[in-house]
């Protein structure tokens, strides 16, 4: 299985901050990388697919980049609704696997 | 598109966990998607369980393959998960979701709200 390692596992930030989360798969997955955010009690939501494509309806303050074995999710100007847990997911091969999550908390 | 999980919230050890996912706003035999189950173990991340496509192809996570079966009810526009011989380690929040099967991006969208299953005697 492809192991997905996210860093950091948690971070504290303030509204308006820029936040960057990194995801490193254990092997080359080209650009087959998706990002989600998940708020407690809510359904996970797709943010970015294929490394850098913004999902329909998602704010442009979310940006994805990377390929191969290193990917980043950047959130520009953090908003109150952005405090959540973020997951990366490799879509290169089954079993599809997720990172362990990065919890973004209010400072 | 809306997905809604249903099933018992409490299952006894060694029994079978059976969940259904009702889909509205899309047809599960449309061919463009894998209909999928994911779970979140307590305090842990997300784990893909398996996916079923309308043409009949099914993919399972090897870690669960010996205990999992997915099926679909085309007429009822729903799909189901059976997990046999459950233990307390199978207690989790179970989600159904839709995975793109056309572009190769294999992104999971949308998701149901999730249903909490506890395995306990």
């Amino acid at each position: 299985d492809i192991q997905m390692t996210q860093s950091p596992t948690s971070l504290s930030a303030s509204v308006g901050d820029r936040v960057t989360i990194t995801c490193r798969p254990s092997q080359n997955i080209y650009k087959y990388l998706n990002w989600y955010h998940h708020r407690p009690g809510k359904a996970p939501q797709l943010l970015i697919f294929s490394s850098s494509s913004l999902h329909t309806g998602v704010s442009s303050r979310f940006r994805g980049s990377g390929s191969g074995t290193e990917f980043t999710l950047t959130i520009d100007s953090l908003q109150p609704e952005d405090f959540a847990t973020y997951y990366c997911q490799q879509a290169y091969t089954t079993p599809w696997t997720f990172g362990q999550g990065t919890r973004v908390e209010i400072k | 598109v809306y997905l809604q999980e249903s099933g018992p919230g409490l299952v006894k050890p060694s029994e079978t966990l059976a969940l259904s996912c009702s889909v509205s706003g899309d047809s599960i035999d449309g061919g463009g998607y894998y209909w999928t189950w994911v779970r979140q173990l307590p305090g842990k991340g997300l784990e893909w369980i398996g996916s079923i496509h309308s043409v009949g192809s099914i993919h399972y996570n090897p870690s669960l393959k010996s205990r999992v079966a997915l099926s679909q009810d085309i007429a009822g526009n729903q799909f189901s998960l059976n997990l046999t011989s459950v233990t307390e380690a199978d207690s989790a929040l179970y989600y159904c979701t839709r995975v793109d099967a056309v572009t190769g991006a294999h992104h999971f969208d949308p998701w149901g709200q999730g249903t909490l299953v506890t395995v306990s005697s």
Side-chain angles (χ1 to χ4, degrees), chain A residues 11-20 61 74-80 82-83 104-107:
Chain A
L11 64 91
S12 295
S14 301
V15 172
D17 285 353
R18 173 180 290 175
V19 165
T20 298
R61 65 179 180 274
T74 300
I75 311 171
D76 292 316
S77 189
L78 204 63
Q79 298 299 300
D82 300 336
F83 292 96
V104 177
E105 300 174 318
I106 300 174
K107 185 183 288 184

Side-chain angles (χ1 to χ4, degrees), chain B residues 23-90:
Chain B
V23 179
S24 57
D26 193 6
S27 176
I28 67 169
D29 70 346
Y33 298 97
Y34 294 106
W35 301 94
T36 294
W37 290 95
V38 175
R39 69 182 183 179
Q40 182 172 30
L41 302 169
K44 301 284 183 72
L46 300 166
E47 179 182 38
W48 171 69
I49 299 171
S51 300
I52 185 167
H53 191 275
S54 61
V55 299
S57 66
I58 304 176
H59 303 274
Y60 296 125
N61 191 321
S63 68
L64 296 167
K65 187 174 183 176
S66 64
R67 298 193 293 128
V68 172
L70 301 191
S71 60
Q72 55 188 350
D73 171 6
I74 300 295
N77 211 38
Q78 60 182 9
F79 60 105
S80 299
L81 163 70
N82 271 18
L83 181 65
T84 62
S85 304
V86 297
T87 70
E88 290 181 359
D90 293 308

Side-chain angles (χ1 to χ4, degrees), chain A residues 38-43 83-85 103, chain B residues 93 95 113:
Chain A
H38 189 198
R39 284 175 278 179
K42 303 282 190 182
F83 292 96
T85 299
R103 186 172 179 179
Chain B
L93 190 54
Y95 294 97
Q113 289 294 316

Side-chain angles (χ1 to χ4, degrees), chain A residues 34 36 38 43-44 55 87 89 91, chain B residues 40 95 104-106 108-109 111-112:
Chain A
N34 305 319
Y36 305 84
H38 189 198
H55 182 49
Y87 294 97
Q89 172 243 328
Chain B
Q40 182 172 30
Y95 294 97
H106 298 134
F108 293 49
D109 177 71
W111 298 60

Side-chain angles (χ1 to χ4, degrees), chain A residues 83-106:
Chain A
F83 292 96
T85 299
Y86 291 81
Y87 294 97
C88 60
Q89 172 243 328
Q90 64 82 13
Y92 179 62
T93 188
T94 58
W96 296 312
T97 48
F98 295 82
Q100 79 278 20
T102 295
R103 186 172 179 179
V104 177
E105 300 174 318
I106 300 174

